Every structure is written in structure tokens, then in C-alpha cells.
Amino acid sequence: MYETEILADEKVPTIEIVREFDATPEQVFRAHIDPELYRQWVGPRSLTTRILKWEGHTGGCWAFANDRAGKEIAAFFGSFHEVRDNERIVWTFTYEGQPDSVALETLTFEGRDGGGTRLRVLSVMSDFATRDGMLSSGMDVGVKEGYDKLDELLGQRTGPAQQHLQDAAVFTALVVSALPEDWSRPSPVSDWAAIDVVKHLIEWSRGFLAGGAGIEFQTLDIEADPKAAWRQHVADIQAILDDPSDRVLSNPHTGDMPVDKAIAMFYTADIWMHSWDLAKALGLEPDLGQERCAAALDAMRPMEQMLRDSGQYGPAISIGDDASAQDKLMAFIGRDPHWKAQVPGD
């Protein structure tokens, strides 16, 4: 993994950022202009990004918000001055909390000799005070961690390992945000409290892997410390995905398949879906990604009857055609998209 250089000019109010990647300029460019990819890596690891508007072309505009455990803590907006495919992006960048301080950023994607990409970001601000205030705000942490995440997204981890890393991180942020009294809050799943969502993900997946692949796990006391149990569980599953070796999972219903593929197909998708349940149980508004929700719904519709017969999902809930892809997906699997926990004292 490469280091990120952040340079402040003494003569003009600019910040220059230089970072190299072992990926093509086309791949690095796409990760900046595709909103679904961009939201996965931008910013520090402690935050998630929610795209509010994205018109990734010359003359378009954009806006996104940063959330911690489902609560918005910062929002940004700007416009695309120029988008030159795989070569250059010029955009304005404004923090909503300081709307008079507008930065003009130029991103260039340079192919390196021998392969890879050198990304250069030149940010020009109106004065030194604004520039120095940004530098002292801790922006370097967000920039460096963001590019580390981009490195992972581009190839440090790939396939099932990368997907689990991303989805488990979102669920972990929710788990960490919960107070002790939150675990008894009702969830959108009938007869489940918030802690039951965590229990379900831990218990069924460990049993599934132990029975089908002979992978033994330590027993976790979820009731005593849900946060510690979840963190250990995530580490256990990630270790398998990072080094699946030649392990095979055998199951009478699915046949034989590589263990990492089985985890991705049956378990990682479950983390993603159940993050909606846990967020709702905690009184937060989840964001599963509209494009991903639409793709999941398209994949599930052809086997709707089989899914209903399996008992995994309840009866579909009627919802308007103008509803979001996320709301349509939740309604399809039997969740009320507008469900809210009714907790005394809330």
C-alpha cells in the first residue's frame, strides 16, 4: 500500500495530494465518477457516505453526506466543471458548514511506466486562513484512510473478501453505536429485538460453516457483550475469506462449492440485508445503496415463489411504483419500509 503525500504551498493557498495505485487510470477514474463506487471509499473508516445527488458529467452537480452510525455529521456539495474520461476531473468542493469557502479541485489520472496510476489532486482555496483551517481540521486522516480504502477496493482485497469487508464494516458501525439499553428495542423482524439480529447473523453462519466445511469456532457470549462478540465474529469470517485455501462447503441443498463463494452467496448478502433491520431497530434510517437494491430485487423476482415457499420472507407489502429501490426491496421481502420502533420514552 502506497503512502499519501499532502503538500501545502507556502506562496499560494493550495493543497496538493499525490497517491499511487496498482490499478489502471480507467479503474481509478471510475472509482471517482461512479457514485456507487465513490461512496464506498471516500472519507475516514469511521464514517459512511450517502450520495444525495450525482451528475457525473461536465456541467453536472453533486452532493453527499457523511454519517456515523446512521446520523449525519457533515454534508458537501459542488459541481463538475469538467469531466474528461480517464484523464481529468475538475470540480468545486464546498462544506455545507462553511458555504462561503469554495475549493476548486483538479484531479489528474496519470498512467505510470510499468503500469499503475499516479493520482494528483490540486485544491485551490480563496485564502491561506481557509487552507490552513482545512489542514488543521484533521482532513489528512480522512484523505489517507479514504485512499487506503480505495486501494482495497481496487484490488488489495477482491471478490468475496472485499465485499464482506465493506458490508461487515457498515453493520459493525451500527453495533458499536448501540447503547446497552438499545439491545432490547424491537426490530422490524417479528418477535426479534435488536440483539436477535446480531445473534442470527453470528449463530447461523458459524453453524453453517462448521457443519458444511468443518470449520470450528470458539463459542461467543453474545448476550454478555454483543459488541465484542460481533467484532470477534467479523474477524473470524474475514480470516477465512482472506485465506480460503482449497476449503469446500458441502450442503445437501447447495451441493459442493468453494467456501468463500458460499460465504458470499449466503452470508455476506445477509449482513447487508439485516443492516436495514438493525438500523431501524436503533431508530436510524438505513442506506443500502439504491443501485444495489435494484439489482438484488431484479435477481429475486424470478424465484419469488421459491423464496416465499422457503419461509425466509413474509408476504410482500404493497408499495407505490414511485417508491425508491430500497423501499421496493424491503416491501418485496415483507418488511414495511416505513416501520419505526415504538419504544416507551422515545
Side-chain angles (χ1 to χ4, degrees), residues 10-89:
E10 295 181 357
K11 297 180 179 179
V12 289
T14 63
I15 298 173
E16 184 179 23
I17 302 169
V18 181
R19 175 63 186 257
E20 297 190 355
F21 299 94
D22 289 330
T24 65
E26 291 80 6
Q27 290 172 311
V28 182
F29 174 86
R30 182 168 178 263
H32 282 77
I33 207 66
D34 183 321
E36 188 63 22
L37 293 176
Y38 186 76
R39 78 178 187 92
Q40 292 181 41
W41 66 264
V42 71
R45 295 186 185 276
S46 62
L47 304 179
T48 57
T49 296
R50 181 164 34 91
I51 302 296
L52 305 176
K53 188 169 188 177
W54 197 271
E55 300 168 349
H57 57 78
T58 299
C61 57
W62 62 268
F64 69 78
N66 285 144
D67 299 339
R68 179 176 284 118
K71 295 183 180 179
E72 183 176 311
I73 64 168
F76 306 87
F77 64 92
S79 59
F80 290 97
H81 178 75
E82 179 190 15
V83 176
R84 191 184 305 169
D85 285 356
N86 307 322
E87 295 181 11
R88 171 182 164 103
I89 298 173

Side-chain angles (χ1 to χ4, degrees), residues 114-175:
T117 301
R118 180 176 296 106
L119 171 66
R120 295 184 184 274
V121 181
L122 180 64
S123 184
V124 182
M125 277 142 280
S126 58
D127 52 61
F128 284 99
T130 300
R131 193 275 305 274
D132 295 343
M134 182 175 292
L135 287 170
S136 64
S137 69
M139 58 84 68
D140 60 315
V141 175
V143 169
K144 291 176 180 178
E145 289 190 359
Y147 286 144
D148 286 349
K149 288 192 292 179
L150 177 54
D151 222 349
E152 295 162 3
L153 187 64
L154 290 168
Q156 292 299 309
R157 282 188 173 101
T158 59
Q162 177 61 26
Q163 193 63 61
H164 177 264
L165 185 75
Q166 294 167 199
D167 290 341
V170 173
F171 196 88
T172 298
L174 292 169
V175 171

